[in-house]
Amino acid sequence: MSTPPSTDRDLWVSWEQYHELTERLALQVHESGWAFDKILCLARGGVRVGDVLSRIFDVPLGILATSSYREAAGTVQGQLDIAQFITITRGTLDGRVLLVDDMVDTGLTFTRVRDHLLKQFAGITELRTAVLWWKGHAKVEPDYYVDQLPTNPWIHQPFEDYDSLRPHQLESWIRKGVRTAYPDSEAK
């Protein structure tokens, strides 16, 4: 599948690019020498990244649901909601924790989640952050990031087509032999 060309306003990311960025982030964390005990990813954007890092580093994965981009098909940031509970594969959230998301946009989510975690989980001894993208207008700097985006583009991630795909459309595309959520792409 080919993606449209990226501009200062729009960054288009293919699946291949997405996986490469995730692998580069894993390598950056590894090369830092920081040993952590658990990964906590923010759902939804950080789930794929957190899952891959959890597999590479062989540490338990926790998931915390947060949401602020709900309006206008996920393009307008609203009030930040943080879930009451964390789901984690083994144990509790304690020790050295790597907090993972796809990006730092304004920094509001990371700041609020960091404060929430340190208040609610006294067993956390150190908390660091890792993202694929760090936008230029962010008020916080992540500990680990792959790309800094000074022009603050809208990032079009490869899985976002599923945001508007409905089961009846998927059924129709599968019957027609379309192998992707991108019906007009080259991958048919």
Side-chain angles (χ1 to χ4, degrees), residues 121-132:
F121 298 91
I124 295 176
T125 58
E126 188 175 1
L127 182 68
R128 293 191 187 180
T129 56
V131 298
L132 302 178

Side-chain angles (χ1 to χ4, degrees), residues 67-107:
S67 177
S68 63
Y69 285 92
R70 288 178 298 279
E71 310 303 322
T75 61
V76 176
Q77 188 173 26
Q79 178 181 338
L80 175 66
D81 293 323
I82 300 173
Q84 184 177 0
F85 299 104
I86 291 174
T87 300
I88 192 160
T89 53
R90 288 192 315 261
T92 60
L93 194 63
D94 57 8
R96 294 175 309 271
V97 177
L98 181 63
L99 179 62
V100 175
D101 204 356
D102 55 351
M103 74 182 82
V104 172
D105 190 348
T106 63

